[in-house]
Amino acid sequence: MSEEKIKDLEAWFEARIANEEKIEPKDWMPEKYRQTHIRQMSQHAHSEIVGMLPEGNWITRAPSLRRKVALLAKVQDEAGHGLYLYSATETLGISREEMIEQLHSGKAKYSSIFNYPTISWADIGAIGWLVDGAAIINQVALCGTSFGPYARAMVRICKEESFHQRQGYEIMLTLARGSNEQKAMAQDALNRWWWPSLMMFGPRDEDSPNTAQSMKWKLKRKSNDELRQQFIDQTVPQADLIDLKIPDPDLKWNEERGHYDFGPIDWEEFWQVVKGHGPCNKERLAARKNAWANGEWVRDAALAYSEKQKSKELNKAS
Amino acid sequence: MKKDWPLWEVFVRSKNGLEHRHFGSLHAADAQMALENARDVYTRRNEGVSIWVVESKHITASNPENNPEMFEPAKDKVYRHPTFYKLPDEIKHM
């Protein structure tokens, strides 16, 4: 294709998106659109899968059967969400195996939040309330994204995730209204998860060079800082209601802005975790690699069985 | 042996009286496993009463590049729609 032809196609493509049309897998798309989507969607899928690990840690130790079935259902949802997203990404021409290899080699990232440990039961509450709360804000914005399979996956995911946040908040509320020790446990979890949750929205706008392109393709509807502010504004009253204290001495309602002001985020910590130096990066990746390696014989056996059944049927027919 | 399981497309009937609708896709070694995985992946909240799975390679899709010759011929056939036909105002319902 000539350069001029590609330019025409690109202009036509951008106009379609501006016009709220959806792009479907077999449509022509600029290579950069394809690659950006493969990167973002596969990392989103990996985050769902790795995200099962910190919570899976507490399934066998949930304090009641009610909590246990809820946590099991939540973790199972995350597996499902990972699978929706992997297959949506495959429509762009990358194989499942390649994506998994990229995760294992470190080429593809996953959300840094899952590199923090879950050291007490209250962490399960904090994750549901804060981490899923932040994820929902990011994901609701993506329900209207331009790539059809991604948007459809996000609609299903958002529908299923609101219970995740509610069950987390219910855990926090129960602990906060319990004994002094239980309340202290909830406060400690909030202290540890608050700042990493704010980091989930990504770097400050001035350090986020791809925002303009992402807005054009509707991969973003609002900037990182806008979404972060929205999360803070909605979460602070929820903390107040259960009498837990947000660990930020600078947090203060700003009447003029109509928003909460908040203290500086430790971006050095953020980049350290992204680069692999968080508390659990090695453990998480090792768990995924082991699961993949230990499951290989099962995958092979299932395929061998299906091939054998197929050849038996062929023999019968002939 | 390094090989992805084949890809399957999943269609779910959400209740009797409605058609099966495409829900998404998944990998499975055979049809039975595809059905079972589809149950777990796509119907965790009573989304369906019936599931079809078909290996993706068996689906033939039209090419969007051919959309003009595929679909445009229907565009100028307004006489296929009821509004094309003029009726006297006295006729309220037809």
Side-chain angles (χ1 to χ4, degrees), chain A residues 26-28 73 76-81 83-84 87-88 90-91 95-98 101 156 159-161 163-164 292 296 298-307 309-310, chain B residues 1-9 12 21-31 33 37 39-45 47 55 57 59-65 67:
Chain A
K26 289 183 146 235
D27 293 351
W28 183 88
Q76 199 189 4
D77 272 352
E78 275 145 18
H81 297 171
L83 294 177
Y84 304 159
S87 39
E90 282 171 75
T91 65
S95 73
R96 181 77 55 100
E97 183 134 24
E98 278 174 272
E101 270 166 18
R156 293 182 61 85
K159 228 191 268 174
E160 296 181 353
E161 268 193 358
F163 114 72
H164 296 185
W292 185 248
E296 188 175 357
V298 180
R299 296 192 300 276
D300 290 350
L303 206 53
Y305 175 77
S306 117
E307 273 155 17
Q309 293 302 106
K310 258 186 248 162
Chain B
M1 182 162 53
K2 274 207 154 187
K3 215 172 140 197
D4 269 343
W5 284 342
L7 189 66
W8 301 74
E9 300 301 321
V12 176
R21 198 166 60 80
H22 184 237
F23 260 46
S25 46
L26 49 76
H27 288 273
D30 58 35
M33 189 194 281
N37 288 359
R39 201 256 334 234
D40 290 343
V41 176
Y42 291 105
T43 62
R44 288 192 302 283
R45 288 175 175 80
E47 287 92 338
E55 233 187 295
K57 68 176 184 197
I59 291 182
T60 308
S62 65
N63 184 339
E65 276 169 35
N67 275 9

Side-chain angles (χ1 to χ4, degrees), chain A residues 209-249:
Chain A
N210 297 325
T211 295
Q213 180 68 79
S214 297
M215 291 264 192
K216 238 178 36 202
W217 289 341
K218 306 192 197 293
L219 275 169
K220 275 187 184 169
R221 291 267 156 143
K222 291 180 182 168
S223 74
N224 296 354
D225 286 334
E226 283 174 293
L227 293 173
R228 188 166 14 246
Q229 184 73 59
Q230 184 186 333
F231 174 75
I232 293 170
D233 291 347
Q234 88 177 31
T235 309
V236 175
Q238 295 165 357
D240 291 344
L241 192 71
I242 54 176
D243 202 24
L244 292 179
K245 197 171 159 14
I246 303 275
D248 178 358

Side-chain angles (χ1 to χ4, degrees), chain A residues 157-225:
Chain A
I157 289 173
C158 286
K159 228 191 268 174
E160 296 181 353
E161 268 193 358
S162 68
F163 114 72
H164 296 185
Q165 195 187 12
R166 290 172 72 131
Q167 66 90 37
Y169 189 66
E170 198 192 82
I171 291 172
M172 292 303 262
L173 174 131
T174 307
L175 290 171
R177 292 186 179 160
S179 66
N180 287 338
E181 288 83 356
Q182 286 171 322
K183 185 167 183 187
M185 206 162 97
Q187 182 63 54
D188 169 63
L190 172 57
N191 293 349
R192 283 179 292 106
W193 289 94
W194 175 253
W195 293 105
S197 299
L198 297 190
M199 295 174 196
M200 283 177 70
F201 297 95
R204 281 170 303 202
D205 292 349
E206 62 262 39
D207 302 321
S208 182
N210 297 325
T211 295
Q213 180 68 79
S214 297
M215 291 264 192
K216 238 178 36 202
W217 289 341
K218 306 192 197 293
L219 275 169
K220 275 187 184 169
R221 291 267 156 143
K222 291 180 182 168
S223 74
N224 296 354
D225 286 334

